[in-house]
Amino acid sequence: MAASPSSTSDTIDAKRRLTLKSSPLHLAPQTNTKPMTFHLGEEVIGGFAAGVVGTLLGFPLDLVKTRMQTQASSTSSSLKQRGPMSLLTHILRTEGLAAMYKGVGPPLVSLSIVNTLSFTSYSYFRQNLFHGQDGWDFNNAFAGMLGAPIFGLVTTPENFLKTQMQLDNVQAERAKAKQKELQQSVLKQNLSAVESNIQKQSLQQLKPEGRFTSSFQCARALVSSHGATILYTGHVINTVREAAFVGAYFFCYEGYKVEFTKLLLEGDRMLSSLSSNYSSNSDSSWATSLAIPIAGGFSGATSWFLTFPMDCVRAGVQGQLIPASSSTPIQKQGALETFTQLLKNKGLTGLYAGVAPSIARAFLVSGSRFSAYEGALYLCRISGFTTSERGQYKDGAANYDN
């Protein structure tokens, strides 16, 4: 007996829905109703790996970014305004390779903590509170932003000490510039031998070395003179920047990941149709695995570009010279004053001073961070260090699979 048109149409629609649902390009939102199970050991190891790899790869570019940001906010003309490559080669030539990692200690410690907190809290809030979906979903941004007040408690002291250490050698370079000016003054003036010796002795006292030998010594010296609250200089602007950055970061990551997965699968099918010698991969997991570091890199670069003016103001606030002696009064400049001064001295372009090395660093660090995180989890499982089931994690953003 022939099937009726309505039953045939229903069958076709059912098959079409089944085909779309099983297709690797089917990215429709799916609600996760199962409770999440966290393995703290994996989270700590994965977060630590992401923090260490990202920090070591990106720290030299972060140094260049900080120097350029503070050049833009400074009114001093004793130091030449340099571009990214010129400044990088200048630091290597005059300060040595070790200066590229001066102040790296606090970020190594804090970023391992922050990465663990951010990956874990984002996964939890995304699934259980905001129910964020794959793709361009603002709920993913809200899930990431919710942990910012906690991140700020960790990152404010880290950023403050890092900025103070990175700019410590700048003070030494300014001393060198002053020394050169005094030397020229000695040559120009018709001084007696005694007066000349006095001038030379005063020049020798201007040591070009920075005030701090390590991040720990910097923290101890400043806390002993000004109290523990000195470490939270610029806490408000830093926390606001953290919230904006993390929200944009995870929002862009989930969106980019879907888009790049689709592009990779479409490209794979296109190559298969154009060449008879090329066979399309039936397993689509390769596309997601490849899309993770690409999406991580692009999301980091995008988020840094969007929030860079706030980071520039943050660097200006935390990069102020803090006197080592408690007898010397601190004349702190707030975020609003720093913002006004940047606009007055450099205009809108001053808010993006150092953006080039920052974008390069963000792409490199963010892409490697997701890869390091996922790689650490994989090693934990195959080594038997943890007891998590295979496939518990869906991707490098610590999304938990059903």
Side-chain angles (χ1 to χ4, degrees):
M1 184 174 68
S4 65
S6 61
S7 63
T8 302
S9 176
D10 292 342
T11 302
I12 293 174
D13 289 342
K15 288 182 178 180
R16 185 179 298 160
R17 286 194 298 269
L18 182 62
T19 303
L20 286 173
K21 187 174 181 181
S22 60
S23 171
L25 287 178
H26 178 67
L27 300 169
Q30 297 180 4
T31 303
N32 191 357
T33 57
K34 287 189 177 183
M36 286 186 2
T37 56
F38 291 96
H39 195 292
L40 184 60
E42 283 189 354
E43 292 292 341
V44 171
I45 293 172
F48 180 80
V52 169
V53 171
T55 302
L56 292 179
L57 286 176
F59 197 80
L61 290 173
D62 186 73
L63 170 66
V64 174
K65 177 208 71 167
T66 304
R67 294 282 183 93
M68 292 184 70
Q69 286 177 328
T70 51
Q71 278 182 1
S73 61
S74 175
T75 58
S76 175
S77 60
S78 59
L79 293 179
K80 180 182 176 182
Q81 303 292 312
R82 303 175 185 271
M85 291 305 299
S86 174
L87 184 57
L88 181 64
T89 55
H90 174 75
I91 293 172
L92 286 172
R93 186 176 65 253
T94 60
E95 302 176 32
L97 182 62
M100 302 299 296
Y101 285 94
K102 187 173 182 179
V104 74
L108 276 176
V109 175
S110 69
L111 288 179
S112 63
I113 300 173
V114 169
N115 274 274
T116 301
L117 292 173
S118 63
F119 279 94
T120 306
S121 65
Y122 169 68
S123 299
Y124 180 83
F125 291 129
R126 182 193 183 212
Q127 185 168 8
N128 293 295
L129 183 60
F130 293 100
H131 306 293
Q133 308 301 328
D134 292 340
W136 303 102
D137 187 353
F138 281 105
N139 287 317
N140 296 325
F142 299 141
M145 293 173 69
L146 205 59
I150 300 175
F151 308 156
L153 294 175
V154 179
T155 60
T156 297
E158 174 257 311
N159 279 325
F160 173 71
L161 291 175
K162 178 189 72 175
T163 305
Q164 287 291 313
M165 290 295 292
Q166 288 177 333
L167 298 179
D168 193 36
N169 284 357
V170 174
Q171 303 299 326
E173 190 165 352
R174 286 173 180 165
K176 288 181 181 179
K178 187 176 180 181
Q179 182 177 6
K180 185 177 180 180
E181 290 176 1
L182 289 175
Q183 286 175 337
Q184 292 175 347
S185 176
V186 169
L187 294 175
K188 290 180 180 179
Q189 295 175 8
N190 186 15
L191 301 174
S192 64
V194 177
E195 291 174 328
S196 180
N197 288 332
I198 294 175
Q199 288 273 17
K200 290 179 180 179
Q201 290 176 2
S202 65
L203 293 177
Q204 293 172 356
Q205 293 175 357
L206 291 171
K207 297 181 179 180
E209 292 80 9
R211 297 182 298 163
F212 309 120
T213 57
S214 67
S215 299
F216 177 76
Q217 188 259 334
C218 174
R220 185 175 58 182
L222 294 179
V223 169
S224 63
S225 299
H226 306 288
T229 55
I230 195 67
L231 298 177
Y232 282 88
T233 300
H235 178 61
V236 174
I237 183 61
N238 180 71
T239 304
V240 171
R241 191 210 70 86
E242 287 284 353
F245 175 82
V246 177
Y249 183 71
F250 282 114
F251 171 75
C252 293
Y253 170 75
E254 298 294 348
Y256 281 138
K257 185 181 65 178
V258 169
E259 299 298 334
F260 282 117
T261 301
K262 290 167 64 176
L263 285 173
L264 289 169
L265 289 173
E266 289 172 1
D268 183 62
R269 284 202 302 269
M270 185 179 296
L271 287 174
S272 178
S273 63
L274 292 176
S275 175
S276 58
N277 297 326
Y278 180 85
S279 59
S280 180
N281 194 343
S282 59
D283 183 10
S284 62
S285 61
W286 69 270
T288 302
S289 299
L290 185 57
I292 287 171
I294 300 175
F298 274 95
S299 62
T302 303
S303 303
W304 263 108
F305 182 80
L306 293 175
T307 62
F308 197 81
M310 283 186 283
D311 187 72
C312 200
V313 174
R314 190 243 359 128
V317 173
Q318 294 188 323
Q320 299 173 77
L321 178 62
I322 307 296
S325 174
S326 58
S327 59
T328 306
I330 304 177
Q331 296 180 347
K332 283 187 179 180
Q333 184 172 276
L336 185 59
E337 294 175 281
T338 304
F339 175 73
T340 305
Q341 185 178 354
L342 275 169
L343 288 179
K344 181 180 178 181
N345 295 335
K346 301 293 180 179
L348 289 175
T349 56
L351 296 174
Y352 278 92
V355 70
S358 180
I359 295 297
R361 168 185 169 273
F363 191 93
L364 175 67
V365 169
S366 298
S368 63
R369 183 176 291 152
F370 278 105
S371 300
Y373 183 89
E374 187 68 14
L377 299 186
Y378 175 75
L379 291 176
C380 285
R381 294 170 199 143
I382 65 172
S383 65
F385 182 77
T386 59
T387 57
S388 297
E389 296 293 332
R390 184 181 67 84
Q392 179 187 6
Y393 293 89
K394 193 166 76 174
D395 57 41
N399 297 322
Y400 290 76
D401 212 349
N402 289 322

